[in-house]
PDB file of all heavy atoms in Angstrom:
ATOM      1  N   GLY A 211     301.606 121.573 357.840  1.00  0.00           N
ATOM      2  CA  GLY A 211     302.251 122.880 357.878  1.00  0.00           C
ATOM      3  C   GLY A 211     301.310 124.043 357.642  1.00  0.00           C
ATOM      4  O   GLY A 211     301.770 125.195 357.557  1.00  0.00           O
ATOM      5  N   GLY A 212     300.008 123.772 357.486  1.00  0.00           N
ATOM      6  CA  GLY A 212     299.024 124.833 357.317  1.00  0.00           C
ATOM      7  C   GLY A 212     298.749 125.217 355.875  1.00  0.00           C
ATOM      8  O   GLY A 212     298.027 126.191 355.618  1.00  0.00           O
ATOM      9  N   THR A 213     299.274 124.466 354.899  1.00  0.00           N
ATOM     10  CA  THR A 213     299.029 124.779 353.484  1.00  0.00           C
ATOM     11  C   THR A 213     297.767 124.065 353.022  1.00  0.00           C
ATOM     12  O   THR A 213     297.656 122.837 353.180  1.00  0.00           O
ATOM     13  CB  THR A 213     300.215 124.314 352.620  1.00  0.00           C
ATOM     14  OG1 THR A 213     301.406 124.916 353.099  1.00  0.00           O
ATOM     15  CG2 THR A 213     299.987 124.705 351.164  1.00  0.00           C
ATOM     16  N   PRO A 214     296.809 124.780 352.464  1.00  0.00           N
ATOM     17  CA  PRO A 214     295.594 124.102 351.975  1.00  0.00           C
ATOM     18  C   PRO A 214     295.934 123.070 350.907  1.00  0.00           C
ATOM     19  O   PRO A 214     296.854 123.260 350.099  1.00  0.00           O
ATOM     20  CB  PRO A 214     294.752 125.246 351.409  1.00  0.00           C
ATOM     21  CG  PRO A 214     295.248 126.472 352.094  1.00  0.00           C
ATOM     22  CD  PRO A 214     296.717 126.245 352.324  1.00  0.00           C
ATOM     23  N   PHE A 215     295.198 121.963 350.918  1.00  0.00           N
ATOM     24  CA  PHE A 215     295.428 120.935 349.911  1.00  0.00           C
ATOM     25  C   PHE A 215     295.265 121.491 348.494  1.00  0.00           C
ATOM     26  O   PHE A 215     295.959 121.064 347.564  1.00  0.00           O
ATOM     27  CB  PHE A 215     294.463 119.772 350.136  1.00  0.00           C
ATOM     28  CG  PHE A 215     294.831 118.891 351.288  1.00  0.00           C
ATOM     29  CD1 PHE A 215     293.928 117.964 351.803  1.00  0.00           C
ATOM     30  CD2 PHE A 215     296.090 118.964 351.860  1.00  0.00           C
ATOM     31  CE1 PHE A 215     294.276 117.130 352.852  1.00  0.00           C
ATOM     32  CE2 PHE A 215     296.452 118.134 352.917  1.00  0.00           C
ATOM     33  CZ  PHE A 215     295.535 117.222 353.418  1.00  0.00           C
ATOM     34  N   VAL A 216     294.347 122.422 348.324  1.00  0.00           N
ATOM     35  CA  VAL A 216     294.136 123.019 347.000  1.00  0.00           C
ATOM     36  C   VAL A 216     295.410 123.693 346.516  1.00  0.00           C
ATOM     37  O   VAL A 216     295.780 123.584 345.335  1.00  0.00           O
ATOM     38  CB  VAL A 216     292.966 124.018 347.064  1.00  0.00           C
ATOM     39  CG1 VAL A 216     292.850 124.784 345.755  1.00  0.00           C
ATOM     40  CG2 VAL A 216     291.654 123.296 347.348  1.00  0.00           C
ATOM     41  N   ASP A 217     296.126 124.362 347.422  1.00  0.00           N
ATOM     42  CA  ASP A 217     297.362 125.032 347.027  1.00  0.00           C
ATOM     43  C   ASP A 217     298.467 124.028 346.731  1.00  0.00           C
ATOM     44  O   ASP A 217     299.312 124.262 345.842  1.00  0.00           O
ATOM     45  CB  ASP A 217     297.807 125.996 348.134  1.00  0.00           C
ATOM     46  CG  ASP A 217     296.845 127.170 348.300  1.00  0.00           C
ATOM     47  OD1 ASP A 217     296.059 127.403 347.363  1.00  0.00           O
ATOM     48  OD2 ASP A 217     296.883 127.833 349.354  1.00  0.00           O
ATOM     49  N   LEU A 218     298.497 122.906 347.475  1.00  0.00           N
ATOM     50  CA  LEU A 218     299.492 121.875 347.172  1.00  0.00           C
ATOM     51  C   LEU A 218     299.333 121.368 345.739  1.00  0.00           C
ATOM     52  O   LEU A 218     300.325 121.100 345.041  1.00  0.00           O
ATOM     53  CB  LEU A 218     299.347 120.705 348.147  1.00  0.00           C
ATOM     54  CG  LEU A 218     299.799 120.914 349.591  1.00  0.00           C
ATOM     55  CD1 LEU A 218     299.541 119.657 350.414  1.00  0.00           C
ATOM     56  CD2 LEU A 218     301.279 121.286 349.646  1.00  0.00           C
ATOM     57  N   LEU A 219     298.099 121.250 345.294  1.00  0.00           N
ATOM     58  CA  LEU A 219     297.840 120.781 343.929  1.00  0.00           C
ATOM     59  C   LEU A 219     298.137 121.867 342.898  1.00  0.00           C
ATOM     60  O   LEU A 219     298.740 121.604 341.846  1.00  0.00           O
ATOM     61  CB  LEU A 219     296.391 120.311 343.814  1.00  0.00           C
ATOM     62  CG  LEU A 219     296.006 119.102 344.663  1.00  0.00           C
ATOM     63  CD1 LEU A 219     294.498 118.869 344.629  1.00  0.00           C
ATOM     64  CD2 LEU A 219     296.734 117.846 344.176  1.00  0.00           C
ATOM     65  N   ASN A 220     297.713 123.094 343.186  1.00  0.00           N
ATOM     66  CA  ASN A 220     297.911 124.172 342.222  1.00  0.00           C
ATOM     67  C   ASN A 220     299.382 124.448 341.961  1.00  0.00           C
ATOM     68  O   ASN A 220     299.764 124.827 340.843  1.00  0.00           O
ATOM     69  CB  ASN A 220     297.230 125.444 342.713  1.00  0.00           C
ATOM     70  CG  ASN A 220     295.702 125.375 342.577  1.00  0.00           C
ATOM     71  OD1 ASN A 220     295.188 124.726 341.665  1.00  0.00           O
ATOM     72  ND2 ASN A 220     294.985 126.020 343.476  1.00  0.00           N
ATOM     73  N   VAL A 221     300.230 124.272 342.962  1.00  0.00           N
ATOM     74  CA  VAL A 221     301.661 124.506 342.789  1.00  0.00           C
ATOM     75  C   VAL A 221     302.228 123.596 341.702  1.00  0.00           C
ATOM     76  O   VAL A 221     303.129 123.988 340.945  1.00  0.00           O
ATOM     77  CB  VAL A 221     302.397 124.293 344.133  1.00  0.00           C
ATOM     78  CG1 VAL A 221     303.901 124.190 343.923  1.00  0.00           C
ATOM     79  CG2 VAL A 221     302.082 125.427 345.089  1.00  0.00           C
ATOM     80  N   GLN A 222     301.692 122.379 341.590  1.00  0.00           N
ATOM     81  CA  GLN A 222     302.182 121.425 340.593  1.00  0.00           C
ATOM     82  C   GLN A 222     301.383 121.469 339.285  1.00  0.00           C
ATOM     83  O   GLN A 222     301.609 120.640 338.402  1.00  0.00           O
ATOM     84  CB  GLN A 222     302.123 120.008 341.161  1.00  0.00           C
ATOM     85  CG  GLN A 222     302.974 119.803 342.397  1.00  0.00           C
ATOM     86  CD  GLN A 222     303.335 118.347 342.584  1.00  0.00           C
ATOM     87  OE1 GLN A 222     303.943 117.721 341.697  1.00  0.00           O
ATOM     88  NE2 GLN A 222     302.990 117.799 343.719  1.00  0.00           N
ATOM     89  N   GLY A 223     300.455 122.417 339.181  1.00  0.00           N
ATOM     90  CA  GLY A 223     299.647 122.500 337.972  1.00  0.00           C
ATOM     91  C   GLY A 223     298.555 121.465 337.884  1.00  0.00           C
ATOM     92  O   GLY A 223     298.078 121.149 336.786  1.00  0.00           O
TER      93      GLY A 223
END
Side-chain angles (χ1 to χ4, degrees):
T213 304
F215 285 166
V216 172
D217 293 342
L218 288 178
L219 296 171
N220 286 329
V221 166
Q222 299 203 58

